[in-house]
């Protein structure tokens, strides 16, 4: 870790403004991802703006009949919320499939969305990594890349986004609310928040510098059942090899791309009357793998078909 | 010299008058550990504020360190020293011994410009705070002349040779026996590199008192660490006072020492203040030892009735180019099954990988993963129950050397395990049992692990208030040593447990070999029993010789010790009354154990049988252990709770070896991929389900005077194979390249059309 200064923000707009004032400033919420990366010298902020105590932890009903989750709400609080468990069970299931209780007690909605990849080479500062050190190369490309992306990867980066929560948010069609350093607010679908790696894998989101996530807004839940299923090497406290979130006819996939992956082709096929297996096969027409991660293609096919069928079967 | 027959005489442990031996006594140091007040090495309070050292690991796997620009780091806030091999204080060359009888030679840190493995410490920064040290460490600029590392084990199998000083062991004629056999099995398995992942990383705190170096460190074996450090510092061995009181796990990984030890001591000397050095979790993975990968070929030739005619197990493994370690994965197999024609051996290849070394149940842990699956496969070929196949090949005497077994209850373990587990409900055809989305299967395997007794000493004393004090240069790596020593002392001197104090982990105490090879309790405990007996004699002599004692004039042989009271029939007084009056300074004695001269006339092992039920998700290839049962025979048990905990811990480790634990090598860089506990997957609660270990009643009077044997490694042996066999029974897929991760199992499921 390198020396840094610290301030506690008193308002969301103030936090965004402060972030634009200091070069190398970063927000910190639960710190469960950022602090680890700082200790390993992967993240090197010069200034931390603590947004965890801002009054943006509420979970409240919206006028449209949906729910607004404050960006500083903890993962545990969101997962345990009665309204969420009743109307958005896929979100609860996704959150509790991630990390451990200790992590979820600290981790926040905003931080979870912006957590960085678990690519092992990103974590090892002795190795080339375009995401960590732009232009240095991608060690994973020809390396031990069992967990690499099968959608939307580029020769510059094949990492996946590891968040479980975001996959459910994408399936639910959630939006993020943002405030910029100049005080402007805007919203963005969670599905459009993250970018594909392209030639600049170090730029991971569509946020402008200093922009703060203030909330995530869930629309009313789609008709039909919901389910989150995650495949992992060990039963708990492990990043996924692949995951699927189903909310009615909406389907998102996790750990298969640089972002939570909305399975638009599968959704369209389903809407057109395709079987679950046919629908996911449509989606996987766009997949490509590298050898060590070949298994992800059949895995996603089987996992997704089973999950959609299970949801349908429940009526 | 003693004979094992001398050990058969009754002693306080074998008579167990107050019933303390075998009781599930709570851990002696448990309250300290659970309240966070047991000071581990890094947490010991030094006499003055310490400085903090951090090590920097090599970023190449092989080559030379050609330059170090340390100016910026030296100028950083709070920095007290920055060392590389260019400026580290001089140390005697590796292995040098100024004292010919040292148990370890010099182990110099930052020794020279050679980089022998990725992560090898090559630079060291000391500062007033940990934060300043870490921050300055990023400012050290190192330049290397890198060479291409030769690290691809699987590509180098052909080049592996006999480990030094070893030969294959052949009995009968394996080749003919195998060729002639009615049924043959010839398969190859592979196991990956594993890391110890102790909760407490290696760490040292050192300071100097005049010429004397005081070091608190986290290690399994006291004497070699003390001697090695003295040799490295070029000082007298008595000028190193080494303490290791609480250890957050060892598993073999702290059997030797690392550069934290020398660097802390050297820096404390150079700076004139205490210095602490700890490995980071990332450094633990590459810069300490690991269990090396293996490739194992097993060939079994049997008659149709299941009798083995020919048996061979060959292991290929690796160690560092400068190392000398062999993972003896074929060794255990020599004592497991009868067969007239036998061939076992090892092949070793030296690579530029990090340093291979022993890890819990070295040999057995990897080796059973092939042989015990091979037996499962053979049973299937023969149409026999795997339990029956094992019983059929149970050897009456050690099949290699013809020695009688000291005590072998393998068959009882197999049978009782089968009954308790409900093995009769297993369907031999795979893939037939379903529970919701899970396919359910059962598997079993045998367990075996050698038993050892090494020379050890122990000090016993009684204080004026009647407290019995055990002092021993022994370690407790979380296994329960403190507790079993307290039980042995209390039982031997006839005092309540609360009247015993145990002091261990100190180089100034009578030496014991430490913790490793599951010899700890038997070795340290036997020395304690001997010392306790000597103290009894001294106290008895004191009582009968003291005119003030009601026991005066009696025969010392008749003195009994119970409930803190010494007595000859109805004449008695409390131990504290006697000592306060007749020996107000207390009495201190030593005792000693040595292996018996005739011990090697018997084959002495520990045994067990594992039964496992797993669920396999046929859609995703995920495996979850539903229940594990182990039945073990390992001599007399001193503490039912700590023994059970050792065994279940070993079983869980075995399950993890089958399913998750692995550290793959990136052959381009020569480094291990997983560098933290989020990536290196040790099991969590949710992985394991029910675990039970049953321990059979047993006393092995050939093992040592207490009739106890080791349990620390036995649980590991065979557990992984039982899981793998259960996976097969669940879904019909055999994955012989461990771990059985979803990607590999899925490939098998798909190949089967599932
Ligand atoms: C061992 C381990 C295992 C894990 N396993 C899983 C898992 O299985 N599944 C899973 O989904 N996650 C997993 N996680 C990740 C965990 O969920 C994230 O660390 C956590 O959600 C991050 O939240 P935080 O509030 O602590 O973020 P922080 O660490 O505080 O911040 C993370 C990033 O978000 C930015 N940030 C935070 N809040 C805002 C905001 N309001 N607006 C803009 N930027 C913001 C920060 O600047 C930083 O870049 C794991 C983490 C660990 C350490
Ligand atoms: S995949 Fe991305 S994160 Fe991983 S090494 Fe390549 S560039 Fe870095």
């Amino acid at each position: 870790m390198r020396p840094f200064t610290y301030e506690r923000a008193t308002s969301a707009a103030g936090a965004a403004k402060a972030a634009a004032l200091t070069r190398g400033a970063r927000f910190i919420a639960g710190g469960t991802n950022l602090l680890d990366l700082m200790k390993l010298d992967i993240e090197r902020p010069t200034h931390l703006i603590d947004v965890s105590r801002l009054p943006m932890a509420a979970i409240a009903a919206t006028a449209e009949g949906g729910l607004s989750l404050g960006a500083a709400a903890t993962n545990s609080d969101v997962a345990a919320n009665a309204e969420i468990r009743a109307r958005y069970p896929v979100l609860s299931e996704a959150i509790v499939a991630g990390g451990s209780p200790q992590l979820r007690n600290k981790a926040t909605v905003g931080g979870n969305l912006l957590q960085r990849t678990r690519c092992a080479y990103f974590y090892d500062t002795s190795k080339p990594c375009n995401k960590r050190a732009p232009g240095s190369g991608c060690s994973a490309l020809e390396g031990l890349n069992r967990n690499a992306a099968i959608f939307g990867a580029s020769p510059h980066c094949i990492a996946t986004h590891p968040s479980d929560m975001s996959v459910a948010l994408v399936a639910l069609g959630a939006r993020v609310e943002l405030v910029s350093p100049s005080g402007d607010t805007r919203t963005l679908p969670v599905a459009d928040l993250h970018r594909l790696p392209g030639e600049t894998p170090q730029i991971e989101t569509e946020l402008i510098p200093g922009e703060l996530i203030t909330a995530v807004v869930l629309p009313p839940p789609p008709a039909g059942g919901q389910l989150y299923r995650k495949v992992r090497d060990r039963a708990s406290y492990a990043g996924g090899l692949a995951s699927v979130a189903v909310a009615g006819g909406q389907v998102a996939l996790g750990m298969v791309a640089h972002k939570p992956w909305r399975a638009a082709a599968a959704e369209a096929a389903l809407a057109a009357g395709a079987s679950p297996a046919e629908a996911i096969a449509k989606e996987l027409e766009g997949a490509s793998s590298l050898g060590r991660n070949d298994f992800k293609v059949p895995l996603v096919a089987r996992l997704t078909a089973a999950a959609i069928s299970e949801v349908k079967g429940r009526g | 010299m003693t004979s094992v027959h001398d050990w058969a005489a009754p002693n306080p442990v074998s008579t167990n008058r107050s019933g303390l031996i075998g009781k599930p006594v709570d851990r002696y140091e448990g309250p300290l550990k659970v309240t966070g007040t047991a000071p581990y090495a890094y947490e010991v309070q030094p006499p003055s504020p310490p400085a903090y050292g951090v090590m920097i690991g090599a970023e190449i796997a092989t080559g030379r360190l050609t330059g170090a620009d340390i100016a910026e780091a030296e100028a950083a806030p709070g920095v007290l020293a920055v060392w590389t091999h260019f400026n580290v204080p001089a140390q005697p060359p590796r292995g040098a011994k100024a004292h010919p009888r040292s148990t370890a030679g010099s182990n110099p840190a930052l020794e020279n410009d050679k980089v022998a493995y990725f992560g090898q410490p090559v630079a060291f920064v000391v500062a007033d705070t940990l934060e300043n040290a870490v921050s300055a460490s990023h400012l050290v600029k190192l330049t290397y002349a890198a060479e291409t590392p030769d690290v691809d084990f699987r590509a180098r199998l052909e080049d592996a040779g006999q480990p030094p000083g070893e030969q294959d062991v052949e009995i009968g004629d394996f080749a003919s026996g195998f060729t002639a056999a009615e049924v043959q099995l010839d398969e190859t398995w592979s196991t990956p590199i594993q890391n110890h992942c102790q909760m407490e990383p290696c760490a040292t705190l050192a300071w100097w008192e005049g010429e004397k170096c005081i070091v608190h460190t986290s290690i399994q074996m006291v004497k070699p660490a003390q001697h090695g450090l003295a040799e490295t510092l070029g000082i007298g061995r008595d000028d190193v006072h080494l303490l290791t009181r609480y250890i957050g796990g060892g598993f073999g990984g702290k059997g030797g020492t690392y550069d934290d030890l020398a660097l802390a001591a050297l820096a404390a000397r150079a700076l004139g203040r205490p210095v602490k050095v700890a490995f980071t979790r990332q450094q633990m993975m590459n810069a300490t030892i690991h269990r090396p990968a293996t490739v194992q070929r097993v060939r079994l030739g049997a008659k149709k009735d299941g009798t083995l005619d020919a048996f061979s197990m060959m292991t290929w493994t690796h160690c560092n180019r400068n190392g000398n370690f062999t993972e003896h994965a074929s060794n255990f197999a020599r004592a497991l099954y009868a067969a007239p024609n036998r061939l076992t051996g090892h092949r070793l290849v030296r690579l530029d990988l990090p340093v291979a070394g022993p890890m819990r149940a070295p040999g057995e842990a990897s080796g059973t993963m092939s042989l015990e699956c091979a037996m499962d496969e053979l049973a299937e070929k023969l149409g026999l129950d795997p339990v029956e196949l094992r019983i059929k090949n149970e050897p009456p005497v050690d099949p290699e050397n013809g020695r009688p077994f000291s005590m072998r209850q393998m068959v009882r373990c197999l049978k009782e395990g089968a009954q308790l587990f409900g093995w009769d409900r297993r369907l031999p055809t795979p893939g037939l049992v379903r529970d919701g989305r899970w396919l359910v299967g059962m598997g079993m395997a045998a367990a075996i692990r050698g038993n050892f007794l090494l020379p050890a000493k122990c000090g016993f004393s009684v204080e004026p208030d009647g407290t019995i004090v055990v002092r021993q240069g022994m370690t407790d790596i979380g296994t329960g040593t403190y507790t079993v020593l307290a039980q042995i002392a209390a039982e031997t001197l006839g005092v309540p447990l609360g009247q015993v104090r145990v002091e261990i982990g100190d180089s100034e105490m009578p030496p014991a070999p430490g913790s490793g090879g599951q010899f700890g309790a038997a070795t340290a405990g036997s020395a304690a029993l001997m010392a306790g007996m000597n103290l009894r004699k001294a106290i008895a002599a004191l009582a009968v010789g003291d005119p003030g004692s009601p026991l005066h004039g009696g025969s010392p042989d008749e003195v009994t010790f119970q409930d803190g009271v010494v007595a000859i029939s109805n004449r008695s007084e409390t131990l504290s009354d006697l000592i306060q009056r007749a020996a107000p300074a207390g009495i201190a004695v030593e005792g000693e154990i040595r292996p018996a001269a005739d011990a090697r006339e018997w084959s002495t092992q520990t045994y067990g049988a594992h039964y496992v039920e797993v669920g396999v998700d046929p859609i995703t290839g995920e495996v979850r252990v539903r229940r594990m049962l182990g039945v073990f025979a390992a001599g007399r048990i001193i503490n039912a709770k700590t023994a059970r905990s050792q065994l279940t811990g070993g079983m869980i480790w075995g399950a993890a070896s089958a399913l998750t634990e692995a550290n793959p090598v990136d052959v381009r860089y020569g480094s291990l991929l997983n560098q933290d506990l989020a990536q290196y997957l040790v099991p969590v609660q949710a992985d394991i389900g029910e675990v039970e270990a049953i321990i059979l009643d047993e006393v092995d009077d050939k093992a040592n005077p207490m009739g106890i044997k080791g349990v620390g490694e036995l649980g590991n042996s065979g557990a992984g194979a039982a899981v793998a066999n259960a996976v097969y029974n669940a879904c019909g897929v055999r994955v012989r390249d461990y771990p059985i991760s979803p990607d590999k199992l899925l490939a098998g499921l798909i190949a089967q059309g599932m």
Side-chain angles (χ1 to χ4, degrees):
Chain A
M1 199 178 293
R2 301 187 187 230
F4 59 89
T5 51
Y6 170 90
E7 75 176 276
R8 191 174 288 171
T10 52
S11 73
K17 200 164 172 187
L21 286 180
T22 315
R23 244 182 92 101
R26 292 294 293 277
F27 301 123
I28 182 166
T32 59
N33 190 223
L34 185 58
L35 286 176
D36 277 4
L37 295 170
M38 287 167 66
K39 287 180 189 167
L40 294 167
D41 204 34
I42 296 161
E43 296 264 24
R44 300 171 181 180
T46 57
H47 183 63
L48 290 184
I49 301 162
D50 188 345
V51 298
S52 66
R53 290 173 175 80
L54 287 179
M56 51 179 202
I59 302 174
T62 64
E64 295 74 41
L67 215 51
S68 161
L69 318 175
T74 65
N75 284 182
S76 296
D77 283 349
V78 174
N81 182 278
E83 189 84 2
I84 290 174
R85 290 175 55 179
R87 296 177 63 213
Y88 304 96
V90 66
L91 179 57
S92 250
E93 289 167 18
I95 291 173
V96 299
S100 65
Q102 294 90 331
L103 285 163
R104 297 194 294 268
N105 287 342
K106 286 300 285 179
T108 63
V109 169
N112 192 312
L113 282 169
L114 298 189
Q115 65 175 293
R116 306 200 67 190
T117 185
R118 293 265 152 199
C119 172
Y121 298 102
F122 175 70
Y123 271 78
D124 179 349
T125 52
S126 73
K127 307 290 192 284
C129 167
N130 287 326
K131 187 183 280 298
R132 174 170 34 74
S136 60
C138 170
S139 296
L141 200 57
E142 289 174 3
L144 299 166
N145 53 22
R146 183 176 72 124
N147 212 1
I150 54 170
F151 291 111
S154 82
H156 302 277
C157 179
I158 56 174
T160 57
H161 195 264
S163 166
D164 288 288
M165 181 192 81
S166 316
V167 186
L169 291 181
V170 166
L172 289 166
R175 300 178 74 85
V176 283
E177 291 190 341
L178 307 168
V179 57
S180 75
S182 55
D184 300 337
T185 59
R186 61 170 180 147
T187 75
L188 211 58
V190 174
D192 297 340
L193 174 64
H194 302 89
R195 295 161 53 108
L196 290 176
E199 292 184 8
T200 53
Q202 73 279 13
I203 304 171
E204 294 173 345
T205 68
E206 298 292 349
L207 299 183
I208 62 165
E211 209 168 13
L212 180 77
I213 301 175
T214 52
V216 168
V217 178
L218 300 170
Q226 299 178 14
L227 180 68
Y228 187 74
R229 184 145 295 162
K230 172 182 183 184
V231 180
R232 44 192 151 170
D233 290 301
R234 76 179 163 192
S236 170
Y237 190 46
L241 299 169
S243 77
V244 59
V246 183
Q250 293 162 210
V251 181
L253 305 172
M255 301 105 203
V256 293
H258 202 245
K259 56 191 289 188
W261 190 258
R262 179 92 186 230
E267 289 177 2
L270 279 178
S275 73
E278 288 162 357
I280 187 62
K282 264 266 158 294
E283 189 69 38
L284 286 165
E285 283 172 10
S288 63
S289 58
L290 295 153
R292 285 194 169 84
N293 67 343
D294 287 352
F295 76 98
K296 279 195 174 189
V297 176
L299 177 61
V300 167
R302 296 157 76 97
L303 174 70
T304 309
I308 297 171
S309 303
E310 186 171 336
V311 167
K312 282 190 164 173
R314 286 184 199 158
Chain B
M1 288 223 53
T2 45
S3 153
V4 297
H5 300 295
D6 304 336
W7 292 340
N11 63 50
V13 166
S14 63
T15 25
N16 194 15
R17 282 182 61 179
S18 53
L20 263 179
I21 301 301
K23 247 194 171 162
V25 171
D26 288 346
R27 263 170 210 277
Y28 177 88
E29 81 291 13
L32 290 179
K33 284 184 174 168
V34 298
T35 56
T37 48
Y40 290 80
Y42 204 76
E43 296 152 359
V44 168
Q45 216 44 50
S48 58
Y52 295 78
V54 301
M55 294 178 288
I56 301 174
E59 300 200 335
I60 62 168
T62 181
R64 287 184 315 113
L65 180 66
T66 50
D69 177 356
I70 59 172
E72 204 186 334
E74 280 184 320
V79 171
L80 302 166
V82 181
W83 291 346
T84 64
H85 82 88
F86 295 109
N87 64 342
V88 70
Q91 303 151 77
R94 179 160 302 276
K97 287 184 184 179
H99 313 273
R101 295 186 55 211
S102 282
T103 49
S106 173
N107 185 16
L110 312 180
E111 174 179 16
N112 54 35
D113 64 347
K114 299 261 182 336
V115 174
Y117 56 91
F118 178 90
Q120 174 189 320
V122 288
F124 179 60
V125 179
V126 192
D128 56 348
T129 65
L130 178 62
E131 290 76 9
N132 279 337
V134 171
S135 159
S137 72
H138 300 313
L139 306 175
V140 174
K141 291 180 201 72
L142 303 173
T143 44
Y144 302 94
E147 289 157 26
T148 308
D150 171 13
V151 289
D152 192 346
F153 171 54
R154 301 273 181 104
R156 291 287 312 278
L157 295 179
E158 303 266 295
D159 307 318
Q162 286 283 0
E166 289 184 25
Q167 282 176 339
D168 294 345
V169 177
E170 177 154 22
I171 289 168
D173 177 351
F174 169 73
S176 324
F178 184 67
T179 317
E182 291 172 348
V183 180
Q184 294 169 343
L185 182 116
D186 180 356
E187 292 290 353
T188 300
W189 283 259
S190 52
T191 63
I193 286 179
Q194 292 186 340
N195 293 99
H196 301 75
C197 296
Q198 309 93 334
M199 276 210 273
E200 180 206 22
C202 298
T204 301
L205 162 65
W207 69 85
W208 291 73
E209 290 174 4
E211 297 296 295
K212 195 159 181 168
C213 181
I214 317 295
V215 281
H216 289 263
T217 190
S218 181
I219 45 135
Q220 293 175 226
M221 288 151 188
V222 173
K223 270 290 148 192
Q226 179 205 18
H227 292 177
L229 181 59
E231 296 290 357
T232 311
L233 296 172
I235 61 177
R237 294 183 302 181
D238 294 343
D239 288 333
V240 169
H241 185 185
L242 185 140
L243 299 108
T244 183
R245 292 212 174 107
Y246 301 102
I247 299 155
F251 310 120
K254 295 174 181 171
T257 64
Y258 304 99
D259 287 354
D260 56 316
L261 188 63
L263 287 171
L266 288 167
R269 178 156 71 182
L271 299 172
R273 66 189 279 189
V275 174
K276 290 180 175 191
V277 184
F279 278 72
T280 64
R281 179 59 64 192
Q282 286 71 20
Q283 290 171 335
M284 289 299 292
M285 297 292 188
N286 276 287
T288 70
I289 61 172
H290 60 262
R291 192 200 296 282
T294 67
V295 168
Q296 304 169 33
R297 180 180 184 197
V298 178
R299 281 169 290 174
L300 301 175
K303 292 197 185 35
K304 288 214 171 95
D305 70 354
T307 315
L308 285 175
D309 283 330
F311 146 76
S312 169
M313 180 163 173
M314 296 300 297
T315 298
W316 286 255
T317 184
H318 60 85
C319 72
N320 182 260
R321 197 164 304 285
N322 303 323
N324 216 357
F325 176 81
T326 305
E327 183 73 34
H328 283 118
S330 303
N331 272 4
F332 78 98
R334 293 175 181 154
L336 193 48
Y337 297 116
N341 304 298
R342 320 166 62 86
L343 173 66
T344 46
H346 301 89
R347 297 290 179 272
L348 180 66
V349 57
R350 293 197 159 72
L351 299 171
D352 300 316
L353 278 173
V355 181
M359 181 161 136
R360 199 174 190 183
E364 285 84 352
S366 316
T368 51
M369 305 279 287
S370 69
L371 178 57
E372 284 305 286
C373 291
M375 288 296 279
D376 201 68
E377 298 194 24
L378 181 66
E380 191 185 25
K381 279 194 172 200
L382 292 164
L384 280 179
D385 185 281
V387 179
E388 199 186 317
L389 177 65
R390 286 171 172 85
I391 293 174
K392 200 160 213 120
N393 290 288
E394 174 72 4
V397 293
D398 190 300
E400 302 256 315
N401 53 33
R403 291 177 195 146
F405 292 109
S406 61
M407 164 76 58
R408 177 166 169 132
Q409 299 207 71
M410 176 70 94
V411 172
R412 226 184 116 198
C413 292
L414 289 165
K415 286 186 171 165
E416 295 206 4
Q419 199 188 355
L420 288 166
F421 187 76
W423 182 250
D424 56 347
R425 293 203 305 272
R426 170 182 177 267
L427 303 179
T429 308
L432 296 181
V433 182
R434 241 189 203 276
D435 179 6
R437 68 183 237 245
W438 300 96
L439 285 172
V440 179
M442 293 186 189
M444 59 80 54
I448 186 167
R449 170 75 181 144
N451 186 70
F452 312 94
L453 180 71
L454 304 179
K457 293 184 177 170
C458 186
F460 258 56
S461 59
V462 54
E463 297 190 338
D465 66 357
T467 302
I468 303 297
V469 184
V470 181
R471 301 178 79 244
Q472 194 175 38
M474 178 57 190
T475 54
D476 185 331
I477 58 176
T479 50
T481 314
Y482 274 107
T483 318
V484 299
L485 289 176
Q487 286 173 271
I488 292 166
E491 189 60 65
T492 306
L493 275 305
V495 299
L497 269 178
Q499 210 173 314
V500 177
R501 195 167 77 237
V502 181
E503 297 176 355
I504 59 173
D506 186 327
S507 63
E508 301 197 337
M509 294 177 178
S515 308
Q518 78 170 18
F519 54 65
T523 297
S526 297
L529 171 64
M530 296 304 174
M533 304 275 277
N534 289 344
L535 186 58
R536 275 173 74 116
K537 278 192 206 123
I539 293 170
L542 180 73
V544 300
D546 175 27
S549 171
L551 283 64
H552 182 69
S555 156
D557 295 341
E558 286 169 19
V559 178
T560 60
F561 293 74
Q562 193 131 23
D563 301 329
V565 171
V566 285
I568 295 178
S569 63
N570 60 358
R571 293 186 285 152
S572 69
E573 66 174 327
T574 65
L575 190 54
S576 59
D577 284 349
L578 169 67
I579 301 299
Q580 267 167 33
R581 185 186 62 248
I587 307 175
V589 301
E590 278 196 13
E592 185 175 4
I593 187 77
R594 293 188 161 278
D598 50 1
R600 309 209 64 204
E601 290 174 21
W602 286 269
S603 173
T604 309
Q605 321 274 343
T606 60
Y607 305 94
H610 296 277
Y611 289 86
V612 173
E613 182 180 292
V614 304
V616 172
D617 183 331
I619 291 179
T620 63
E622 287 167 293
V623 180
R624 301 291 177 251
V625 173
R626 295 157 65 105
R627 55 191 186 106
M628 302 184 82
L629 170 74
V631 177
F632 301 98
R636 186 194 306 279
I637 296 302
I638 302 277
N639 184 320
K641 184 185 280 187
T642 54
R644 178 184 172 279
S645 171
Q646 284 298 297
L647 290 164
T648 54
M651 290 162 68
I652 291 167
W653 199 322
S657 297
L659 299 177
T660 60
E661 271 195 56
N663 212 339
V665 174
D666 189 317
V667 296
R668 299 166 301 168
Y669 305 113
S671 55
L672 304 181
L673 183 74
N674 298 320
Q675 301 196 10
D676 60 39
L677 295 178
Q679 296 173 336
Y680 184 93
L681 302 177
V682 300
V684 297
Q685 295 285 354
D687 286 304
I688 296 300
E690 267 175 54
V691 190
E692 194 47 88
I694 308 282
I695 310 172
L696 299 182
D697 262 343
E698 180 175 296
V699 176
D700 189 333
D701 60 9
K702 309 287 189 305
N704 53 60
M706 298 187 292
I708 78 169
K709 294 195 278 197
V711 291
E713 302 185 323
L714 176 61
N716 260 40
S717 170
V723 171
N725 292 336
V727 169
Y728 174 74
N729 184 242
C731 68
V733 177
R734 298 227 188 243
V735 175
R736 298 190 190 88
D737 177 28
Y738 293 107
I740 308 173
S741 47
D743 48 333
K744 297 179 200 163
L745 197 54
L746 190 64
L749 290 164
I750 291 171
Q752 292 209 354
M754 286 178 92

